[in-house]
Amino acid sequence: MISIAIVEDNAGVRQNLQRLIEETPGFRCVCACDCGEDALREIPRARPDVVLMDLHLPNLSGIECTARLKELLPDVQVIIVTVYDDTETVFKALRAGACGYLLKRSAPERILAAITEVREGGAPMTSEIARKVVEAFQSAPPPGPADLNLTRRGHEILQRLAQGFANKEIATHLSLSVDTVRWHLKQIYEKLHVRSRTEAAHMFHRAGSPPPGP
Amino acid sequence: MISIAIVEDNAGVRQNLQRLIEETPGFRCVCACDCGEDALREIPRARPDVVLMDLHLPNLSGIECTARLKELLPDVQVIIVTVYDDTETVFKALRAGACGYLLKRSAPERILAAITEVREGGAPMTSEIARKVVEAFQSAPPPGPADLNLTRRGHEILQRLAQGFANKEIATHLSLSVDTVRWHLKQIYEKLHVRSRTEAAHMFHRAGSPPPGP
DNA sequence: CATAAAACCACCCGTTTGGGGGGGTGACAA
DNA sequence: TTGTCACCCCCCCAAACGGGTGGTTTTATG
């Protein structure tokens, strides 16, 4: 008997899922919430094996909710069921701790199969999602070993920036004008596609990690 | 009609695969090699849609072979079919450009389904492999459960700060006021003995080594 | 139950940053 | 020559940030 929780703000969809699960032998729906706040309150009590999680929720996003749930219940298996299929959302969800990702257009049988699959140690994904995930590995090398085409000066500056130095300090260390440092930073931000020093530092810090990370 | 190439050093396995494909309507085997060198010579000529690749090959490894094949034919879809299921091998293969990964114990129908799936933009994987891949995402970002004496909120905020988010974004994500986020940051800075967000991010990013300390 | 600690929100003020201009030099290739 | 590129410097402006002060509510804990 697999116990399941549902987090889905659309009442119709939620009830359909609930019915689907209750009508299937071996499955039981122990909790159905319409927002992340309720989920964080009720799911730890219900202690389900698997959570079906929508991403578009009022207030607290499904991603945030997933992350916090995994903190509270590290063993719970979260399957995202959503309409969003853009790469960023998918990766954020997986990083938050989801171990499955289905699109809402999936057939009911696919959802049931996914629940069984996570229980057996799998990671059910719609095929497009799986492809995105695999491609993330292939595009990992570029940002990894190859610090993107930064100038020598640019690299020196970024390095110190990532160590927490302010522009003024960097300027002093390199015997430059603050404006020059700022000018270089503008170039760097453009190349890294970021808009702030902390984002740039974040890019820098995870340059050289083998697995994924877009 | 999907054209397929096979790279597999074991003659028995290779012939089984070849027979399986030839006997299935809509599938055609245009090339069957027993080593990577032959594969790199013959496959570019045969121009198959999909390649079934073993990893254990004499001389040139299946991973190397995959990487070079993808250089020659960027559009070819490579499915690994092997007995190796260790994490490192899986990641290397995916990084080399494979878009599917099956274990040899897979049923013949699973292999045919996988071929169809890659042609439709999917990434067929054995469920254990899929789980490994997804877990790689999860183990990437949380590399710092080593805590300083920060409050729960403080830790959440610092974590997001270190990921490059601005105060405003952090406030939105956590459903807080910007002023609250700023207030928490003040506390955090004091505890970490830093005076800027980048310094704080720097502290956070190298967390995990508690050598001395009272 | 009381008290402390944490979390939350608000306002002010001066500085730093990001982003937009504008200049100028030297090196190296087309 | 002309072009491109890395590098350096300067100015302006709005937004974001760091730091200080003052509160209220929620939560934990004795």
Side-chain angles (χ1 to χ4, degrees), chain B:
Chain B
M1 177 66 79
I2 305 177
S3 61
I4 295 147
I6 300 171
V7 187
E8 163 67 61
D9 64 331
N10 183 300
V13 175
R14 186 173 65 250
Q15 282 156 19
N16 279 340
L17 282 173
Q18 203 168 353
R19 205 175 325 120
L20 171 69
I21 288 166
E22 290 292 4
E23 284 172 358
T24 307
F27 292 67
R28 199 165 139 249
C29 181
V30 295
C31 176
C33 316
D34 64 356
C35 73
E37 292 81 351
D38 286 357
L40 290 174
R41 213 175 309 116
E42 296 178 22
I43 289 181
R45 279 204 265 275
R47 296 199 159 271
D49 300 311
V50 178
V51 176
L52 299 182
M53 175 80 65
D54 184 27
L55 287 187
H56 179 269
L57 300 174
N59 265 321
L60 196 65
S61 81
I63 291 181
E64 261 302 308
C65 186
T66 300
R68 296 213 209 157
L69 257 186
K70 289 293 282 189
E71 278 177 27
L72 299 173
L73 304 170
D75 291 337
V76 76
Q77 311 277 37
V78 179
I79 302 176
I80 306 294
V81 184
T82 185
V83 294
Y84 301 116
D85 64 349
D86 66 283
T87 308
E88 250 325 291
T89 304
V90 172
F91 292 164
K92 278 184 190 163
L94 294 182
R95 275 199 289 271
C99 63
Y101 201 111
L102 300 179
L103 298 181
K104 273 190 176 164
R105 66 178 100 113
S106 304
E109 308 81 51
R110 181 71 184 101
I111 293 181
L112 295 175
I115 294 173
T116 309
E117 205 175 329
V118 290
R119 290 249 59 199
E120 289 166 353
M125 290 173 279
T126 305
S127 61
E128 308 132 74
I129 303 297
R131 178 61 73 106
K132 281 179 197 294
V133 168
V134 165
E135 276 169 357
F137 273 81
Q138 295 164 6
S139 62
D147 287 316
L148 287 140
N149 43 359
L150 294 182
T151 62
R152 175 179 285 288
R153 250 319 189 226
H155 199 267
E156 290 177 325
I157 291 180
L158 177 57
Q159 193 172 320
R160 284 170 176 77
L161 157 38
Q163 282 167 23
F165 291 107
N167 292 348
K168 201 188 289 182
E169 297 172 312
I170 298 173
T172 305
H173 291 352
L174 297 179
S175 305
L176 291 178
S177 144
V178 184
D179 279 314
T180 303
V181 173
R182 276 148 58 88
W183 181 86
H184 278 284
L185 284 183
K186 287 166 203 168
Q187 317 298 316
I188 292 170
Y189 292 169
E190 201 171 341
K191 284 179 185 169
L192 299 186
H193 307 290
V194 299
R195 292 172 349 278
S196 76
R197 61 202 299 100
T198 357
E199 279 184 288
H202 184 225
M203 294 267 86
F204 180 87
H205 274 123
R206 41 154 212 181
S209 52

Side-chain angles (χ1 to χ4, degrees), chain A residues 71-93:
Chain A
E71 279 177 27
L72 299 173
L73 304 170
D75 290 337
V76 75
Q77 311 278 36
V78 179
I79 302 176
I80 306 294
V81 184
T82 185
V83 294
Y84 302 115
D85 65 348
D86 65 283
T87 308
E88 252 323 292
T89 305
V90 172
F91 291 163
K92 280 183 188 162

Side-chain angles (χ1 to χ4, degrees), chain A residues 151-153 176-177 179-180 182-184:
Chain A
T151 298
R152 194 180 318 287
R153 249 322 189 224
L176 292 177
S177 147
D179 278 311
T180 303
R182 276 150 57 88
W183 181 87
H184 279 284

Side-chain angles (χ1 to χ4, degrees), chain A residues 97-136:
Chain A
C99 63
Y101 201 111
L102 299 179
L103 297 180
K104 274 192 178 161
R105 66 178 98 113
S106 304
E109 307 81 50
R110 181 72 183 99
I111 293 180
L112 295 176
I115 294 173
T116 308
E117 205 174 329
V118 289
R119 289 248 61 196
E120 288 166 354
M125 290 173 280
T126 306
S127 60
E128 308 132 75
I129 303 299
R131 177 62 72 105
K132 282 181 196 295
V133 168
V134 164
E135 276 168 357

